[in-house]
Amino acid sequence: MFKGEFFHAATSGAAGFYDHQIEQSARFDADSTAANSSYLTKTFSTVDSSVHWTLNFWIKRSAIGGTRPSGSANPLDIFTPRSGTSGSVLNEFKFSSPTAGNTAGDALMIVNTNSNNIVLSTDNLFRNTSGWYNFHIQADLDNGTNSEKLKYFINGTEASYNTDNRGSYTSLPGIAAGAWTIGEYYGINGYPLQSYLAQWAFVDGTTYAPTVFAESKNGVWIPKDLGSGITWGSAGHLLLFENASDLGNDSSGNNNDWTANNMGTDHQVLDSPTFGS
């Protein structure tokens, strides 16, 4: 085990263990030509809040340490929301060095603007490539207590933090109407996620706890059915990757569908946090 690492392995042999099954995931891979990497894009015309929002998703990593086929090691981007089509008013959610946003590494980090100003990074390093992590990020950025403004939870447990500048932020400017990207930096220029994603849920305008999306059962962190009980907000979306021909389909009811790029039907895979149960 690496520093501060914890992960979820699907439990097998108990058909009824999982109350909710995630039947598939989407594979985000890389290519020796950076522009051919897998990613999703969506332009939002309305976003309710850059202050209160929640992101919850399951991830299984395929590459660590920033390795990529198109060049030397880089940070690997999970999610890049930005205001309009700006090249600077944006946020990156990525795997990076815990102390330097422009350096390869395996900490979870959010940076503000393309200058890599760190908002919050973990001391935990996520280097396991055989198990699934549930990442939960909740924002309540007008909270008067700095430690409550922005939180990361991994499999239901709050992360330990390395670089912490939460107190300097009352909003994240990239969480705004504009062009958003999952699986790469917006320029698609060599920061490929190289992971599997399952049950990706973004909530616009509400700060939810991790227990809304998953729960502990016999010491195992397992997913919940998100089909009801969540107020998604204007930019809210739920990507279940159920349709191999339409991997960006939004199942929240908002019809906030994403465009899949360099992702054929073979990018839907039968591997998930509940696989084999």
Side-chain angles (χ1 to χ4, degrees):
M1 299 290 284
F2 290 86
K3 179 181 179 182
E5 185 176 12
F6 38 99
F7 67 97
H8 166 100
T11 299
S12 60
F17 182 81
Y18 294 99
D19 299 319
H20 168 62
Q21 291 279 350
I22 297 177
E23 296 183 358
Q24 61 277 309
S25 61
R27 187 180 76 249
F28 291 75
D29 48 24
D31 189 84
S32 57
T33 300
N36 293 336
S37 296
S38 306
Y39 61 99
L40 298 171
T41 52
K42 167 71 178 173
T43 298
F44 288 96
S45 59
T46 302
V47 176
D48 295 332
S49 181
S50 61
V51 179
H52 304 109
W53 47 267
T54 310
L55 176 63
N56 185 284
F57 59 94
W58 292 83
I59 183 168
K60 181 179 178 181
R61 303 197 67 194
S62 301
I64 60 174
T67 58
R68 61 193 180 110
S70 60
S72 57
N74 260 355
L76 303 179
D77 275 30
I78 303 167
F79 179 43
T80 309
R82 56 185 176 137
S83 177
T85 56
S86 174
S88 59
V89 185
L90 56 87
N91 297 105
E92 287 181 79
F93 298 56
K94 60 184 174 180
F95 293 109
S96 186
S97 160
T99 58
N102 61 349
T103 302
D106 297 302
L108 175 64
M109 175 185 290
I110 296 177
V111 300
N112 189 51
T113 83
N114 62 346
S115 297
N116 283 300
N117 299 317
I118 300 172
V119 180
L120 186 64
S121 71
T122 64
D123 210 32
N124 312 87
L125 303 177
F126 304 100
R127 292 174 171 164
N128 187 277
T129 57
S130 62
W132 284 85
Y133 299 103
N134 178 237
F135 281 10
H136 178 89
I137 302 172
Q138 63 183 63
D140 184 23
L141 287 161
D142 59 357
N143 196 299
T145 302
N146 287 347
S147 62
E148 296 295 320
K149 284 176 170 286
L150 185 67
K151 293 183 176 184
Y152 303 161
F153 292 83
I154 314 301
N155 296 343
T157 300
E158 188 168 4
S160 59
Y161 303 114
N162 187 293
T163 304
D164 184 351
N165 295 314
R166 287 176 285 185
S168 300
Y169 293 88
T170 56
S171 66
L172 286 190
I175 307 291
W180 295 12
T181 306
I182 297 172
E184 243 284 12
Y185 188 62
Y186 81 89
I188 322 300
N189 53 352
Y191 302 86
L193 177 58
Q194 300 171 93
S195 294
Y196 300 86
L197 292 179
Q199 195 163 281
W200 172 283
F202 179 83
V203 175
D204 179 15
T206 305
T207 306
Y208 282 120
T211 49
V212 171
F213 303 87
E215 62 187 336
S216 180
K217 183 175 183 179
N218 298 341
V220 178
W221 190 248
I222 62 173
K224 287 184 174 180
D225 185 347
L226 307 184
S228 62
I230 293 175
T231 301
W232 292 99
S234 296
H237 52 274
L238 174 62
L239 306 182
L240 299 177
F241 311 114
E242 293 176 310
N243 185 343
S245 299
D246 187 12
L247 289 172
N249 182 60
D250 172 25
S251 298
S252 72
N254 277 350
N255 292 320
N256 284 326
D257 297 338
W258 291 63
T259 298
N261 300 272
N262 303 319
M263 300 180 76
T265 57
D266 62 327
H267 284 67
Q268 183 197 64
V269 294
L270 298 178
D271 188 359
S272 82
T274 63
F275 179 77
S277 62

